[in-house]
């Protein structure tokens, strides 16, 4: 099992925490857009509270460790590795509870190029523990807004993890999907399960719209989020996201492998781990 000290060192060495590649400018822009309720950064969340830019900056300083100084407007953003470790502990604890209860679980990612291996390792372990890893709406088409306009995508599953891709771009089963913030895929997946008569997931694990979209619909959700994704942390503050783990969500895929090992160890889960 990876020790907490080794995990902390890895977070800093891989720039998953500490000074990260996400810039302060990117983060502050996301806070401005969120305060204006721009759907591009809401990730499917409809906050109950009024969140101004200052409120968001204070929240992100508390949850992630970014600078709370509004005059700090440039350079790399910073994530406190202690906050990442604490959130991973809570994340693992929730997985452990779900595994013991043999809860049905849904995994989905908007970062398939980076995070597919992380979630797939967890999905394999949860399945081995007796949980049903749900794969609803396989192949269902979803029209999503992109910077190129509305494009049709399809929901696919790779190693138990949902992602979306443009039809015809890759053969089914390949690991390549698109980067998306959209909550539409999780809404389609949950709708398909409800229409079929269940079971519905008792836990959704993922990022971006998969977490916020599920949480907004009242399904418990946990996930990973960068400093420019305030929606997950707002959802956590308002009680619609159970755990939001602060880390850089776009480093090399293999840098997340120690996180999978750590989470599985802390959750007392075992599973075959294969990596793309």
């Amino acid at each position: 099992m990876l020790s907490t000290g080794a995990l902390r060192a890895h977070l800093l060495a891989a720039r998953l925490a500490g000074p990260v590649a996400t810039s302060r400018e990117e983060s502050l822009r996301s806070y401005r857009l969120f305060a204006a309720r721009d759907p591009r950064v809401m990730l499917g969340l409809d906050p109950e509270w009024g969140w101004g830019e200052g409120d968001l900056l204070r929240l992100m300083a508390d949850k992630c460790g970014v600078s709370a100084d509004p005059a700090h407007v440039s350079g790399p953003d910073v994530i406190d590795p202690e906050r990442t470790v604490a959130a991973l502990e809570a994340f693992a604890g929730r997985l452990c509870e779900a595994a013991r209860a043999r809860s049905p679980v849904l995994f989905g990612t908007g970062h398939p190029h980076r995070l597919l291996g992380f979630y797939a390792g967890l999905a394999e372990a949860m399945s081995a523990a007796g949980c049903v890893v749900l794969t609803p709406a396989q192949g269902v088409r979803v029209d999503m807004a992109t910077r190129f306009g509305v494009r049709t995508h399809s929901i696919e599953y790779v190693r138990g993890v949902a992602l979306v891709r443009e039809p015809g771009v890759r053969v089914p089963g390949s690991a390549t999907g698109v980067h998306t913030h959209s909550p539409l895929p999780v809404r389609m997946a949950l709708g398909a399960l409800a229409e079929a008569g269940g079971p519905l997931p008792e836990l959704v694990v993922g990022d971006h719209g998969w977490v916020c979209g599920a949480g907004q619909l009242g399904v418990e959700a946990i996930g990973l989020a960068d400093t420019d994704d305030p929606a997950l942390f707002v959802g956590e503050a308002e009680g619609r996201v159970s755990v939001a783990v602060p880390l850089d969500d776009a480093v090399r895929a293999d840098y997340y492998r120690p996180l999978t090992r750590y989470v599985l160890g802390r959750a007392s889960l075992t599973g075959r781990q294969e990596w793309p």
Side-chain angles (χ1 to χ4, degrees):
M1 176 176 164
L2 192 70
S3 71
T4 301
L7 173 66
R8 187 183 298 108
H10 173 71
L11 291 171
L12 293 170
R15 296 191 66 186
L16 286 157
V20 294
T22 307
S23 71
R24 180 70 165 181
E25 293 91 335
E26 290 175 279
S27 296
L28 293 176
R29 176 178 179 274
S30 290
Y31 307 161
R32 287 194 297 271
L33 292 174
F34 192 97
R37 299 296 181 101
D38 190 307
R40 291 174 293 177
V41 297
M42 304 303 289
L43 311 185
L45 191 72
D46 183 15
E48 295 180 358
W49 308 342
W51 291 88
E53 291 180 49
D55 301 315
L56 291 164
L57 186 57
R58 287 187 289 273
L59 175 73
M60 297 302 283
D62 177 57
K63 295 289 188 180
C64 303
V66 305
S67 172
D69 182 1
H72 179 200
V73 296
S74 63
D77 227 330
V78 175
I79 295 174
D80 177 6
E82 299 299 333
R83 288 172 169 83
T84 304
V85 171
L88 283 171
E89 291 275 354
F91 184 100
R94 186 61 195 93
L95 282 179
C96 182
E97 292 171 3
R100 287 176 177 169
R102 297 193 174 181
S103 302
V105 185
L106 175 64
F107 290 85
T109 181
H111 266 295
H113 298 81
R114 311 297 185 183
L115 292 171
L116 177 62
F118 173 76
Y119 298 122
L122 302 181
E124 290 164 3
M126 294 295 280
S127 178
C131 296
V132 175
V133 176
L134 300 166
T135 57
Q138 168 77 40
V140 169
R141 301 294 179 92
V142 184
D143 292 330
M144 300 191 309
T146 74
R147 57 178 177 166
F148 305 108
V150 176
R151 294 287 180 87
T152 299
H153 296 75
S154 63
I155 299 174
E156 306 289 347
Y157 287 84
V158 177
R159 296 166 58 203
V161 182
L163 51 81
V164 295
R165 60 164 62 95
E166 293 185 71
V169 174
R170 294 278 180 173
V171 298
S174 68
T176 302
V178 300
H179 172 225
T180 179
H181 287 188
S182 176
L184 292 179
V186 77
R187 292 174 185 166
M188 296 290 288
L190 294 174
L193 287 169
E195 186 175 345
L200 295 174
E202 294 178 14
L203 184 67
V204 172
V205 184
D207 48 60
H208 289 171
W210 287 94
V211 172
C212 290
Q216 182 64 35
L217 292 175
V219 180
E220 185 175 5
I222 61 177
L224 314 180
D226 210 331
T227 60
D228 61 349
D229 290 328
L232 275 81
F233 299 101
V234 169
E236 187 179 37
E238 291 192 351
R240 271 171 287 177
V241 173
S242 290
V243 182
V245 180
L247 50 70
D248 190 317
D249 59 11
V251 303
R252 282 174 35 179
D254 59 313
Y255 288 171
Y256 298 98
R257 295 180 187 178
L259 276 64
T260 302
R261 293 199 298 272
Y262 185 81
V263 168
L264 292 179
R266 300 302 288 181
S268 300
L269 290 167
T270 59
R272 184 164 50 93
Q273 298 178 42
E274 298 173 352
W275 308 101

